[in-house]
């Protein structure tokens, strides 16, 4: 069974940094592209970032480009999201999600339960 | 940016009845469209990909149709567990551009 467990969320001041982690199990992590999707409280879904299985291709939404970096450590079966220069509008529940194949095709087949990031002074 | 618009915002349907949810894209996304279901306090669940292919384990009462700019999710006979928020999402272009609709809340009538 696919399991994705996010961690690293919390309260951070505007301009601060945070690194989210996603521990994956139940599948061959190194064979799949992964992504992050966020959901502001009471709002809809917003795709954030994606990474290919090799890590050689990364993609970011315009709203986070230059501030967020997605990466992966296949030896630890873990996905990361480094978030810098955080803004109030980055406040959201951040989901880790597994793609259907090794390359990021644009959608996710399995999701974690999310980790909450709150940006506030 | 491709804008996805869902209609209606809220749909009230009785159990056992048919529900039809609509999604429009501001420009053609071909068949690069998925539908997710999200229940309160839960992560989204993939229902349909490629506009019409059911994901693994999704009951046959869920069906997707459409291509280009107009898409439909149909739930043929609503069960109690189907009442949730439904999102459409397009994945078009290269590099991938991903945008979600604002969601349709399916509630019990």
């Amino acid at each position: 069974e696919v399991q994705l467990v996010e961690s690293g969320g919390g309260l951070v001041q505007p301009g601060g940094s945070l690194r989210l982690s996603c521990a994956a199990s139940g599948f061959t992590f190194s064979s799949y592209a992964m992504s992050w999707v966020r959901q502001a409280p009471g709002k809809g879904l917003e795709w954030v970032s994606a990474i290919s299985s090799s890590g050689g291709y990364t993609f970011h939404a315009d709203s986070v480009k230059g501030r967020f970096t997605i990466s992966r450590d296949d030896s630890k079966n873990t996905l990361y999201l480094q978030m810098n220069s955080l803004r109030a509008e980055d406040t959201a529940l951040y989901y880790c999600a597994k793609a259907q194949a090794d390359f990021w095709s644009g959608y996710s087949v399995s999701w974690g339960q999310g980790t909450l990031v709150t940006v506030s002074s | 940016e491709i804008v996805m618009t869902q209609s209606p915002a809220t749909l009230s349907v009785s159990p056992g009845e048919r529900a039809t949810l609509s999604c429009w894209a501001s420009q053609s996304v071909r068949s690069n469209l998925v539908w997710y279901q999200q229940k309160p306090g839960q992560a989204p669940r993939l229902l349909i990909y490629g506009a019409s292919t059911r994901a693994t384990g999704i009951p046959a009462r869920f069906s997707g149709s459409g291509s280009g700019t107009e898409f439909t999710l149909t739930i043929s006979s609503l069960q109690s567990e189907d009442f949730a928020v439904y999102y459409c999402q397009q994945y078009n272009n290269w590099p991938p551009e991903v945008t979600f609709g604002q969601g349709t809340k399916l509630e019990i009538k």
Side-chain angles (χ1 to χ4, degrees):
Chain A
E1 179 193 0
V2 172
Q3 282 207 315
L4 300 167
V5 179
E6 303 92 337
S7 61
L11 176 64
V12 60
Q13 291 189 336
S17 297
L18 213 53
R19 188 177 82 156
L20 306 184
S21 299
C22 170
S25 61
F27 65 102
T28 305
F29 180 72
S30 60
S31 296
Y32 291 89
M34 300 291 294
S35 68
W36 291 96
V37 177
R38 67 185 180 184
Q39 186 168 34
K43 302 296 184 182
L45 300 166
E46 181 188 15
W47 171 75
V48 175
S49 301
I51 187 168
S52 63
S53 61
S54 68
Y57 291 90
T58 60
F59 310 98
H60 299 274
D62 287 344
S63 58
V64 306
K65 204 168 288 184
R67 300 188 299 124
F68 289 13
T69 302
I70 189 171
S71 63
R72 62 192 298 156
D73 185 339
D74 290 349
S75 69
K76 297 181 179 179
N77 287 349
T78 301
L79 177 73
Y80 301 103
L81 185 67
Q82 178 67 44
M83 304 186 296
N84 299 330
S85 303
L86 282 160
R87 306 166 180 167
E89 54 265 34
D90 296 319
T91 294
L93 185 65
Y94 283 73
Y95 292 104
C96 164
K98 170 185 171 288
Q100 190 170 38
D102 58 346
F103 204 81
W104 171 241
S105 56
Y107 63 92
S108 300
V109 299
S110 301
W111 299 59
Q113 289 303 306
T115 186
L116 182 63
V117 172
T118 303
V119 184
S120 175
S121 55
Chain B
E1 176 184 296
I2 299 175
V3 177
M4 306 302 292
T5 303
Q6 292 186 241
S7 178
T10 303
L11 181 62
S12 299
V13 182
S14 300
E17 292 188 340
R18 180 188 198 93
T20 302
L21 288 69
S22 298
C23 174
W24 285 271
S26 60
Q27 65 188 74
S28 177
V29 298
R30 296 176 292 175
S31 294
N32 297 326
L33 184 110
V34 298
W35 290 93
Y36 295 102
Q37 175 195 67
Q38 188 178 35
K39 297 179 182 179
Q42 296 186 18
R45 178 174 72 144
L46 178 67
L47 299 175
I48 302 286
Y49 63 93
S52 61
T53 303
R54 276 191 303 278
T56 302
I58 301 304
R61 65 180 182 272
F62 291 90
S63 63
S65 63
S67 66
T69 62
E70 297 188 23
F71 301 89
T72 301
L73 175 69
T74 302
I75 311 171
S76 59
S77 177
L78 279 164
Q79 307 296 304
S80 57
E81 62 266 29
D82 299 336
F83 293 96
V85 178
Y86 292 82
Y87 293 95
C88 64
Q89 178 230 299
Q90 67 81 20
Y91 51 104
N92 202 33
N93 299 328
W94 181 260
E97 177 190 339
V98 175
T99 48
F100 289 86
Q102 80 280 18
T104 290
K105 182 179 180 181
L106 181 57
E107 62 177 28
I108 300 175
K109 187 174 182 179

